[in-house]
Amino acid sequence: MPKYVYRFHEGGKDQRDLLGGKGANLAEMTRIGLPVPPGFTITTEACRAYMRDGRVPPGLRVEVTTALREVEDTLGRRLGAPRDPLLVSVRSGGKYSMPGMMDTVLNVGLTDASVHGLANMSGDERFAWDSYRRLMQMFGATVLGVDARAFAEALEARKAAAGARSDVDLTADDLRGLVDDYRQIVSTTCGRDFPQDPREQLDLAIEAVFGSWNSERARLYRRRERISDDLGTAVSVVAMVFGNLGENSGTGVAFTRDPSTGDSGAYGDYLPHAQGEDVVAGIRNTLTLDDLRERDPGSYDELVVAMRRLETHYRDLCDIEFTIERGRLWLLQTRVGKRTAAAAFRVAVQLVDEHLITLDEALGRVTGEQLGRLLFPRFDRTADTPLLTRGLGASPGAAVGEIVLDNAQALTRTQAGAKVVLVRRETNPDDLAGMIVADGILTARGGKTSHAAVVARGMGRCAVVGAEALDVDEAHGEVRVDGVVLRPGDVVALDGTTGEVFRGDVPVVDSPVMRYVADGLDAGLQAAPDDEVRDVVHSVHRLLTHADSVRRLRVLANADTADDAHRARARGAEGIGLCRTEHQFLGERRHYVEQVVLADSDDERQSALAGLLPLQRADFTALLEAMDGLPTTIRLLDPPLHEFLPDLTDLSVRVALAEERGRVDEHDVRLLAAVRRIHEQNPMLGLRGVRLGLTVPGLFALQVRAIAEATVELRRAGRVPLPQIMVPLVGSVREMQLVRAETEGVLAEVAQRSGVRLEIPIGCMIELPRAALTAQRIATQADFFSFGTNDLTQTTWGFSRDDVEGAFFSDYLENGVLTISPFETLDADGVGALVRIGVERGRSARPDLHCGVCGEHGGDPESIHFFHQAGLDDVSCSPFRVPIARLEAGRAAVLVGEDTTT
Amino acid sequence: MPKYVYRFHEGGKDQRDLLGGKGANLAEMTRIGLPVPPGFTITTEACRAYMRDGRVPPGLRVEVTTALREVEDTLGRRLGAPRDPLLVSVRSGGKYSMPGMMDTVLNVGLTDASVHGLANMSGDERFAWDSYRRLMQMFGATVLGVDARAFAEALEARKAAAGARSDVDLTADDLRGLVDDYRQIVSTTCGRDFPQDPREQLDLAIEAVFGSWNSERARLYRRRERISDDLGTAVSVVAMVFGNLGENSGTGVAFTRDPSTGDSGAYGDYLPHAQGEDVVAGIRNTLTLDDLRERDPGSYDELVVAMRRLETHYRDLCDIEFTIERGRLWLLQTRVGKRTAAAAFRVAVQLVDEHLITLDEALGRVTGEQLGRLLFPRFDRTADTPLLTRGLGASPGAAVGEIVLDNAQALTRTQAGAKVVLVRRETNPDDLAGMIVADGILTARGGKTSHAAVVARGMGRCAVVGAEALDVDEAHGEVRVDGVVLRPGDVVALDGTTGEVFRGDVPVVDSPVMRYVADGLDAGLQAAPDDEVRDVVHSVHRLLTHADSVRRLRVLANADTADDAHRARARGAEGIGLCRTEHQFLGERRHYVEQVVLADSDDERQSALAGLLPLQRADFTALLEAMDGLPTTIRLLDPPLHEFLPDLTDLSVRVALAEERGRVDEHDVRLLAAVRRIHEQNPMLGLRGVRLGLTVPGLFALQVRAIAEATVELRRAGRVPLPQIMVPLVGSVREMQLVRAETEGVLAEVAQRSGVRLEIPIGCMIELPRAALTAQRIATQADFFSFGTNDLTQTTWGFSRDDVEGAFFSDYLENGVLTISPFETLDADGVGALVRIGVERGRSARPDLHCGVCGEHGGDPESIHFFHQAGLDDVSCSPFRVPIARLEAGRAAVLVGEDTTT
């Protein structure tokens, strides 16, 4: 039989799996001699057995009896004894923190008899009755399943009868009466009396905590946080200590460093004559730790020593909960503390400088997501723009613009050059047009997985959702917020990170960290307004530099133009992993594409293509010049040709109306026939990529020639252009063979004519399941692989990104099919399985095959860790995300084998 | 060093890999004592070495010398000796027959000197000079690379000079002059004389045959026939025998049974005083074997004995090539003979009855493709409808209809109720609308992989392509064929199997084999016009019955209605593997779908769904009643809802025009908004299947309720309904979990209310790569798997079937990326890899997991063999193909481990 109960002195901090975070840390603090009330922890294994069998596992009762007896012996008191009762708290706590999701019961052990003992012992009758009614309230609701409102109503009635404004105004007698009321409520609702056997209270409370693991809200929370339902919670049983036994008692929370700024030195809140829940309730204003020093220097000193001990021991910023009972300090909880992004970088570097951790470890303490937060522009908080309201920060960034209430307004105003914020009660797919042109999106309803939130994140658009104070009145064309009335044209500002909504224009300031990654350390330091921020920039610099030195993954950028390329290079990109050539066919060049499509003969088509040659050669020359000396991967044309032509429906309507009006445009009619001919039901799965190259003669040859001639031109000018040619949408080795033959032919011809040797690698995208599955063949014809995880996600899941994110991803995130969009973070189980298969089979044919990834996942932290583990050689992402990818690639290298999900 | 040369007596028929088909069979005949001229075979391994190193492998020369010396010793003649020369033929022959694709050189050994010896020996000077000029012609073109037209021109010039109408009119002197001309052509073109060293001739000829393996046409042929380029050809060197040495000489081909009807008894053609090439050329009319018996009873008897010996030895119908040289019979080649579908069945059963083979072996000798050919309706050949012309039979079937020349005519006439045949020079994607409504398609250009052929096969539409005599004159709106002028409205009839095109209406007769599979043996026999056909029906019956007894795969049908179900059951289906429920939402029921889409509230939507319940219950009752006692798999709704609504472009035009005319239809406007809202860029990858079920509340519940209530109704009536519920487009176990919970809830409710126990399995389609990759999880929630290989092919390749087959499959078949549409025959390397992964991972979680397939591949012979090998439990196909699937499932079971590619 497994051991289900660990006394605090038996466990330790590495047993989070078994004892939960809280239990493991209580044990650790006990072990290193810090003042923790005696107690024990029942393991998660017991909880799992309870979930499996529907009852507490045999043997647990006896183990609890033994452990409880030890606690009783230590303190010289018995649980719920009438004269001098031991009281305990029964606390939930799983491996991962799930704040407020599971149950906890305090004051277990109080009965009609022992309440008198507590009054005696504490010398405070009011305190005893208040403790008892709190137990009945918590136990009644949590363990016995009484509707909490019944207790609240009885409390209100008592207050009214006593003329009390607040709970604290109730006297001992009032509270004794309230206990009578509660006793009545329990008997009536449950058909049984409130249990008077202390041990029965304890056993029922333990079982209730086990059960709370599977409450609806806990399950929902876990699904969202991607915590497995199978883990179970541990239960810690801790002797009660009381901060509400007079002015020399109190309770507080403290941090070993400031979690907001990262400043070193203890930091915290203290509330005298109070229990933990009073601090949380925020009824009274808290004091600072300095105040505590003045009031109780002994406890203060003891606390500071304990905190230093904890930080040295945990080698990280810790937060703690503590209680002082009549001048004696007790630590009730500790954990590695949450902190802001800025604090994370500063604290990590401070700990290195204090020789507590290594640089590798420091790198593990910060995340790309935190770095990302430091890169966004922020509103200038020194400006005194009034806060209008607050919602959920659903998609980060800062947006300022005129309010628009529908698509029509959004389009009209943006066409007139205005920046707009689309304000809706909630959004649905009809609102897409407006969302696309808006700078920001603001809704009154919905959470972080609502339609607005999902679509906005997908588009990288700033959004605040669920700002419930907003009353969006479309009928009257106005928005009301707490008495303020706003109309279209009024300006608002959204902070997509904090969820704040401001009225009027708020100046936006560049982030100094952004200045640093874009322009170097000096620029970043100069942009910092004070020493604190300068220290943030310094800390980022040290950790990013370290990440560069340890990472194995090369970080490249997705960049289509010379401008993009310069930006990427400045941010540390070591090359271009994906240059899309689509834009080279857009704008004024569309008419060449029209000519290609409308061509009646091969000659006509070739002459249209020839017209594009000098334009594209100039594009490539500029790009390759910008990337001088660094590899530059150019993808041959990917999208279907109809993307360069007018929309079928629009054109059909135009032609039908023109006919109706007797003003037929011959070009439109001809174009309509062509658009109809090449129209596809599912263009994502149609004539595009390599299929286009093999079907439209001369198309790929044109691109290859432009690349080759640009290379020759730069080589003659003494530069070092390093183009690589990448073929999209390959599904079969034969496609690669055919394109390779054509490409090598063009390269050889240009090389011969120019006398410049051209050794340009020819590789392909792996973005179809079939490419991954037959990678061992494709590798024989490809000099490198680049996983196109966007398309691979589309085909592996059968999701069209254009369609599904708006249509049902919000439902799918709500019902738990998805925990995050697979277009945001790589789906390791499905798409990732194909990536692994592709790498493995490809290298089985060509052991030195270079494999990279150029989907948007290349800039996503969790995905980068996956790619590192899957053995890829590089990731490519947008220039903006290059620093984030550098940091995460470094973290992936130092965290290998560790749990990287935090 | 490997052995490169095998004398005929050293090899045998099982060495086709090494000796090629021809060499292996020559060796086998020699081994069993049949009269084969002496010779030897150079292995395919030597050819592979030649291809690898670019030269004949070391050691080969010596081996050839030794083997040649043995032949010389046997015959007492030396190669090319001036007095009494040995001549040899140098013949290509790989593992698989590639008729006419590679080179062969006859009469090797003739020189300016030995030609006189040959004249002497044969006593026929004209023969000697004719043989020499033939050698120079073949050797010149094949080995020395001279343009064959140069020789043809010289021959024509000689004939003109001599006033000869035909080659045979040329005298010995004429031919000697022609040899001079040829000698001149060789010297001028090659800069060298025609080689006079017989051994040099032999070595060069061998090398040329090796080289011909990689000729352009041979490579193309192999790609189309899916023969590996790596095999290489063997080379057989055979002593020449001559059928053109007078009236007691001759040459012929013979079959051990009639390959056309399957009648037993020898059958063949004979041409006296001729060489093999004369038979092929068809210059003179051939005689029958009966004629040979009269002319040369000795040789005839010897031939018949040899044929019986071969058939007993090969245990199959054989064809042979033979030559009689001055009354002496020589066998030059044999192989298992090609035959018609009817003959295949009859011969296989005859061989069983003659105790030559087992029933298992007989099953291996026929194919589903042959059975399919016997099922198609045929034109009644007794009708004297005139043959108009002939093309390639590109898509089988029989079609009769009015000629139409474009889409507009096709649509007008079919809307008027006419059947039409679309006649085009060649088709392109623009013609799709016409092809869809036409009964048959006829083109003047293009081969079996042309656009018309590919699309027609994809649609199951009868097609004849490449009828080159057709002159399609769109400008004048007429079609001319050899002087006949046809106009739209004239009737033609197409035989998509033979490629015949008839003028006028040809009566179509049902196939007796089809009557047999549809209505049983008696009906089939009654429909047969004669004993021969009755024997075909009998033979099919015996082999199909045997297939049923040996196959492991269960054969189910795809059937949507009770009518389909009856049809399937009659043809031997053991259940329904796929009932699509789409049609239950079509027709007059569309307005319910409109209501669901337009619903403003949940109530409105539920009431629209409730309206469908009685209708769908009736559908399922009829279906389950038809399948009484057999499993019936019903797929919940799969297609996106917009498929039930008007097309976006059409509706947009209608509304725009109505507005223009001031006659706005409010319903249309409302509908357009909804259609626009649910419009998708890529509906194949959009909101459909299980996603629809999880997004439109009540939709799946309606279907499940209708199934459950139909089941209750039938059970109460004493029937045995066996429905199974199948969830489409599952990509994640969580989807299955949610649908399963909802489905079980509805089933439990109906069961409780009715008091009828309902145990209905709930399974899912595996049609997304992710489903196969995560099958171990999905299997925990699915009672069975059914691979939807159509969709799986679409996502694995990234092909939208609607789009790509017409757009570029013809190009892809032409350039060898595809050898066959992956929608026709399962792509074993890509899609098949996922099927294997899905089965393996699914069964790792649930070892008894039932796995089937319900894509159209379920009726394709090659795919069925794959599914058998992959361990599936059943295949489901259209009712028409059920007998074919039964046969192939039986073949797969008996052919396991054998090469099933023939």
Side-chain angles (χ1 to χ4, degrees), chain B residues 548-790:
Chain B
D548 285 340
S549 76
V550 296
R551 66 189 157 86
R552 199 205 67 228
L553 282 173
R554 213 166 51 154
V555 176
L556 313 177
N558 300 346
D560 300 348
T561 62
D563 280 355
D564 285 351
H566 285 297
R567 240 189 304 276
R569 209 173 171 147
R571 280 162 178 74
E574 296 160 277
I576 289 180
L578 173 63
C579 163
R580 296 176 199 84
T581 50
E582 287 84 292
H583 71 279
Q584 300 185 347
F585 294 83
L586 287 172
E588 291 180 0
R589 302 180 187 176
R590 273 178 197 270
H591 77 268
Y592 290 106
V593 182
E594 265 188 28
Q595 284 174 10
V596 168
V597 172
L598 294 175
D600 282 327
S601 71
D602 198 51
D603 280 355
E604 271 184 52
R605 183 168 46 237
Q606 294 309 328
S607 91
L609 290 171
L612 280 165
L613 181 63
L615 303 170
Q616 303 213 340
R617 187 172 48 218
D619 292 337
F620 289 128
T621 306
L623 180 77
L624 289 167
E625 189 166 24
M627 293 308 287
D628 192 54
L630 293 179
T632 306
T633 312
I634 297 164
R635 179 175 73 183
L636 300 181
L637 191 66
D638 185 45
L641 290 185
H642 51 70
E643 285 200 7
F644 304 96
L645 301 181
D647 172 75
L648 172 63
T649 299
D650 293 349
L651 190 58
S652 297
V653 168
R654 192 159 85 208
V655 169
L657 288 177
E659 272 175 6
E660 178 77 11
R661 291 165 191 160
R663 289 194 303 262
V664 175
D665 177 328
E666 276 312 318
H667 179 73
D668 271 3
V669 171
R670 211 166 143 236
L671 199 56
L672 177 58
V675 168
R676 220 182 254 148
R677 191 179 68 234
I678 65 174
H679 177 71
E680 296 181 309
Q681 296 297 315
N682 299 284
M684 185 60 64
L685 305 177
L687 183 51
R688 47 177 285 245
V690 66
R691 301 164 193 173
L692 211 52
L694 292 176
T695 308
V696 180
L699 180 63
F700 277 7
L702 154 75
Q703 296 197 287
V704 171
R705 186 175 301 278
I707 293 167
E709 292 181 357
T711 306
V712 167
E713 194 175 320
L714 289 168
R715 288 270 287 281
R716 283 184 174 148
R719 304 301 173 81
V720 186
L722 297 175
Q724 311 199 98
I725 291 173
M726 183 156 74
V727 186
L729 212 69
V730 168
S732 129
V733 64
R734 174 87 186 142
E735 290 169 325
M736 207 40 211
Q737 215 168 26
L738 293 168
V739 174
R740 194 177 184 89
E742 183 184 19
T743 301
E744 286 178 344
V746 174
L747 294 179
E749 188 212 312
V750 175
Q752 197 184 11
R753 209 154 26 77
S754 65
V756 174
R757 227 172 112 203
L758 290 174
E759 284 182 344
I760 300 180
I762 305 165
C764 68
M765 307 269 297
I766 302 290
E767 52 187 338
L768 292 174
R770 195 175 193 278
L773 293 163
T774 63
Q776 70 281 13
R777 296 204 202 151
I778 292 175
T780 63
Q781 297 290 322
D783 297 326
F784 61 87
F785 278 1
S786 182
F787 287 87
T789 50
N790 294 348

Side-chain angles (χ1 to χ4, degrees), chain A residues 223 428-430 648-649 652-653 656-657 660-661 673 676-688 690-692 694-695 729 731-732 734-735 738 768-771 773-774 777 794-804 807-808 811-812 815-818 827 829-831 833-834 837 841, chain B residues 223 428-430 648-649 652-653 656-657 660-661 673 676-688 690-692 694-695 729 731-732 734-735 738 768-771 773-774 777 794-804 807-808 811-812 815-818 827 829-831 833-834 837 841:
Chain A
R223 216 150 58 211
N428 67 42
D430 284 342
L648 172 62
T649 298
S652 297
V653 169
L657 288 177
E660 177 76 11
R661 291 165 190 159
R676 223 182 249 146
R677 191 178 70 236
I678 64 174
H679 177 73
E680 295 181 310
Q681 296 296 315
N682 298 284
M684 185 61 62
L685 305 176
L687 183 51
R688 47 177 285 245
V690 66
R691 302 164 191 172
L692 210 53
L694 292 176
T695 308
L729 213 71
S732 131
R734 176 84 186 145
E735 289 169 325
L738 293 168
L768 293 173
R770 193 175 195 279
L773 293 162
T774 63
R777 299 207 198 146
Q794 298 201 78
T795 44
T796 304
W797 274 95
F799 282 160
S800 158
R801 183 167 196 177
D802 291 335
D803 298 315
V804 295
F808 67 86
D811 282 339
Y812 262 37
N815 66 23
V817 173
L818 300 175
D827 156 38
D829 294 334
V831 182
L834 283 175
I837 288 173
R841 297 191 178 175
Chain B
R223 214 153 57 211
N428 65 42
D430 284 342
L648 172 63
T649 299
S652 297
V653 168
L657 288 177
E660 178 77 11
R661 291 165 191 160
R676 220 182 254 148
R677 191 179 68 234
I678 65 174
H679 177 71
E680 296 181 309
Q681 296 297 315
N682 299 284
M684 185 60 64
L685 305 177
L687 183 51
R688 47 177 285 245
V690 66
R691 301 164 193 173
L692 211 52
L694 292 176
T695 308
L729 212 69
S732 129
R734 174 87 186 142
E735 290 169 325
L738 293 168
L768 292 174
R770 195 175 193 278
L773 293 163
T774 63
R777 296 204 202 151
Q794 300 201 75
T795 43
T796 304
W797 274 97
F799 282 161
S800 158
R801 183 165 196 177
D802 291 335
D803 297 315
V804 296
F808 68 85
D811 282 340
Y812 262 38
N815 65 21
V817 174
L818 301 174
D827 156 38
D829 294 335
V831 182
L834 282 177
I837 287 173
R841 296 190 179 177

Side-chain angles (χ1 to χ4, degrees), chain B residues 453-528:
Chain B
V454 172
V455 174
R457 279 199 299 274
M459 300 193 302
R461 200 71 81 254
C462 164
V464 173
V465 302
E468 297 188 350
L470 282 187
D471 179 6
V472 182
D473 185 343
E474 280 184 77
H476 294 90
E478 60 184 41
V479 178
R480 291 178 295 271
V481 200
D482 299 330
V484 179
V485 178
L486 297 169
R487 295 202 172 74
D490 292 346
V491 171
V492 292
L494 311 181
D495 185 326
T497 308
T498 63
E500 288 165 311
V501 183
F502 301 95
R503 184 178 178 184
D505 197 353
V506 184
V508 170
V509 289
D510 235 11
S511 139
V513 176
M514 174 56 102
R515 286 296 307 279
Y516 154 64
V517 299
D519 302 322
L521 185 57
D522 289 345
L525 293 174
Q526 249 161 27

Side-chain angles (χ1 to χ4, degrees), chain A residues 313-332:
Chain A
H313 190 70
Y314 281 88
R315 304 186 312 134
D316 203 348
L317 182 161
C318 294
D319 69 23
I320 61 169
E321 289 177 18
F322 65 94
T323 283
I324 297 173
E325 185 183 274
R326 290 182 171 152
R328 178 151 184 208
L329 175 75
W330 295 100
L331 301 186
L332 299 182

Side-chain angles (χ1 to χ4, degrees), chain A residues 64 81 91 107 147 173 180 292 298 302 488 497-498 593 601 693 737:
Chain A
V64 168
R91 295 164 183 269
N107 300 337
D147 187 335
D173 280 348
D180 288 337
L292 173 62
E302 207 184 334
T497 308
T498 63
V593 182
S601 69
Q737 214 167 28

